[in-house]
Amino acid sequence: MSPTRVLVLNSGSSSVKYQLLDMRGGDRLAVGLVERIGEERSRLKHTPADGGSREWGGSIPDHETALKAVAAELAKDGLGLDSGELAAIGHRVVHGGRRFTEPTVIDDAVLAEIERLIPVAPLHNPANLTGIRTARGLRPDLPQVAVFDTAFHTTMPESAARYAIDVETADAHRIRRYGFHGTSHAYVSRETARLLGRAPADVNVIVLHLGNGASASAVRGGRCVDTSMGLTPLEGLVMGTRSGDLDPAVIFHLMRVGGMSADEIDALLNKRSGLIGLCGDNDMREIRRRVDTGDERARLAFDIYIHRLKKYIGAYYAVLGRVDAVVFTAGVGENAAAVREAAVAGLEGLGLAVDGELNAARGDGARLVSPPDARVAVAVVPTDEEMEIATQTYALVKESGNPG
């Protein structure tokens, strides 16, 4: 029997998240996290399928050491990287530019192109590359597959993807709207169609991925036609620490009048803006608690967050022309009933509403929270980016006839 397991790696600048999945039945065999790589107080948490978590701390100086530690933890459960049941390793890569429109088996040329894209993803692609190179060193015989956050959005038409700036300048510096969270938007839009009992090709969906980072997408017949993030993940919705949409002249004003450097403005807009800049908190649970106690700063932050969200719902309704579902996902989208209710309040004329009881009920799976007679479904669909990466990775190696 051909190997059916896929190890999914998400390598950050100082962390590695991982999951091992068996694609025969979609079983999750192990999940884990290595964090604070390069610090003296590094930490590894590993949870096998039986739920018996193991955790230890110490010095993990680099990603190679981190992955060797992951391999050792997997080996304790009989799931080591040397297992003949491992079909491939799937890597999350944040930026694939215009070239990578689908999952791709990694070779030296692919690595070189991911490296060439570092200027448009300086925080993410270098870490992704480190994880890939380390994994290739540990299992050079195993197919390694890159799954790109930007790939799902490459179906956007030029009218949505291009900024209205000088074309030659834009092309010379690869300036365009790429979009992010693509694996989540792909998975959730497809699962929403399943929830509605229809084929993805027959469904138009607005996906709202609301976590500390947040993005919206308009998906027509399974293909993305617009998304809120742009050249970087800074554009679009109000986020935990990012500003989202902003008049570009604010940057010039801060440089000329505020005397701020480019790096200072970068830090302001990415790390000290959004919800945390508005009210000092970026946890929606805490913000809602403060709203309920009458805190005006928290109320204003919440209202700004909802106002931006509602604008994107309306805009993408116009882009799609017909909407079958508006779906909420990720940490805030899946758990904050107040956000879902406020986001569609006043949009009854567009066929949008939530049922108070359904919306307030907790649940782990995909579910509808709109009234049974609603013209447009409002849904909650938990995202599963690791499963999406594993599914795309396994399909590719099976198609190429080279699993394991």
Side-chain angles (χ1 to χ4, degrees):
M1 182 182 292
S2 298
T4 57
R5 293 176 183 172
V6 174
L7 177 65
V8 175
L9 295 177
N10 181 353
S11 299
S13 58
S14 62
S15 67
V16 175
K17 298 177 184 177
Y18 63 93
Q19 291 196 17
L20 181 66
L21 301 103
D22 192 322
M23 305 313 294
R24 274 175 296 199
D27 297 323
R28 228 171 290 268
L29 303 178
V31 301
L33 168 67
V34 187
E35 57 185 348
R36 298 196 287 267
I37 296 171
E39 300 180 21
E40 290 185 4
R41 297 184 304 109
S42 306
R43 187 172 74 105
L44 187 152
K45 183 175 182 180
H46 174 86
T47 305
D50 63 13
S53 293
R54 301 190 295 270
E55 187 172 335
W56 58 268
S59 175
I60 300 178
D62 51 40
H63 283 69
E64 181 176 359
T65 306
L67 277 185
K68 286 180 178 177
V70 169
E73 290 300 317
L74 290 169
K76 291 177 184 177
D77 303 312
L79 305 169
L81 294 190
D82 57 352
S83 168
E85 296 189 56
L86 192 60
I89 298 177
H91 298 267
R92 179 198 180 213
V93 179
V94 167
H95 216 306
R98 299 185 68 182
R99 172 175 169 183
F100 297 113
T101 62
E102 55 191 17
T104 304
V105 174
I106 297 166
D107 57 20
D108 290 343
V110 170
L111 278 176
E113 182 65 14
I114 295 171
E115 188 164 17
R116 194 178 72 85
L117 288 164
I118 285 176
V120 290
L123 298 179
H124 298 96
N125 274 29
N128 301 156
L129 281 165
T130 299
I132 292 169
R133 287 174 173 140
T134 303
R136 289 181 89 199
L138 292 175
R139 281 298 305 268
D141 59 313
L142 201 65
Q144 313 261 340
V145 175
V147 177
F148 299 90
D149 268 12
T150 50
F152 183 65
H153 304 303
T154 57
T155 56
M156 282 192 295
E158 286 293 278
S159 56
R162 276 202 176 269
Y163 291 109
I165 66 173
D166 173 68
V167 171
E168 285 74 21
T169 301
D171 289 348
H173 299 286
R174 300 192 293 276
I175 297 172
R176 62 188 288 112
R177 301 183 62 249
Y178 293 100
F180 299 88
H181 293 149
T183 51
S184 176
H185 287 278
Y187 177 86
V188 170
S189 59
R190 192 172 60 249
E191 288 300 303
T192 301
R194 190 197 309 273
L195 178 64
L196 298 179
R198 298 166 64 179
D202 297 332
V203 177
N204 290 355
V205 183
I206 297 172
V207 179
L208 304 170
H209 177 109
L210 307 179
N212 192 50
S215 60
S217 67
V219 183
R220 178 185 292 127
R223 294 167 61 85
C224 177
V225 295
D226 206 348
T227 192
S228 58
M229 287 179 167
L231 174 71
T232 76
L234 182 58
E235 187 181 356
L237 301 174
V238 175
M239 303 176 224
T241 65
R242 299 179 200 144
S243 65
D245 291 339
L246 189 77
D247 179 351
V250 170
I251 297 170
F252 312 142
H253 181 80
L254 291 173
M255 294 177 78
R256 293 167 181 157
V257 179
M260 296 178 69
S261 69
D263 286 344
E264 288 172 330
I265 296 170
D266 188 296
L268 169 70
L269 299 182
N270 278 289
K271 298 179 180 178
R272 303 200 315 275
S273 295
L275 292 171
I276 205 163
L278 290 167
C279 70
D281 272 311
N282 63 331
D283 187 320
M284 186 57 72
R285 294 165 296 188
E286 178 61 17
I287 292 170
R288 284 303 309 173
R289 186 197 66 76
R290 288 172 56 186
V291 169
D292 292 341
T293 63
D295 187 311
E296 289 302 317
R297 280 190 66 189
R299 165 55 68 183
L300 179 59
F302 183 78
D303 288 348
I304 292 170
Y305 182 94
I306 294 298
H307 180 76
R308 187 81 56 84
L309 187 55
K310 193 171 293 191
K311 280 175 65 175
Y312 268 91
I313 293 172
Y316 286 173
Y317 205 118
V319 167
L320 291 169
R322 188 200 85 236
V323 175
D324 299 296
V326 173
V327 56
F328 293 83
T329 193
V332 175
E334 293 170 27
N335 297 297
V339 168
R340 298 192 295 265
E341 180 180 9
V344 301
L347 301 182
E348 292 82 5
L350 299 178
L352 288 163
V354 297
D355 177 287
E357 188 173 335
L358 291 175
N359 189 45
R362 303 286 294 182
D364 294 329
R367 61 196 187 278
L368 295 176
V369 296
S370 48
D373 59 349
R375 193 165 82 243
V376 178
V378 179
V380 178
V381 176
T383 191
D384 195 336
E385 294 173 272
E386 290 77 16
M387 179 59 76
E388 181 69 16
I389 292 170
T391 299
Q392 292 190 27
T393 296
Y394 188 61
L396 179 61
V397 297
K398 273 189 68 178
E399 181 183 318
S400 67
N402 187 32

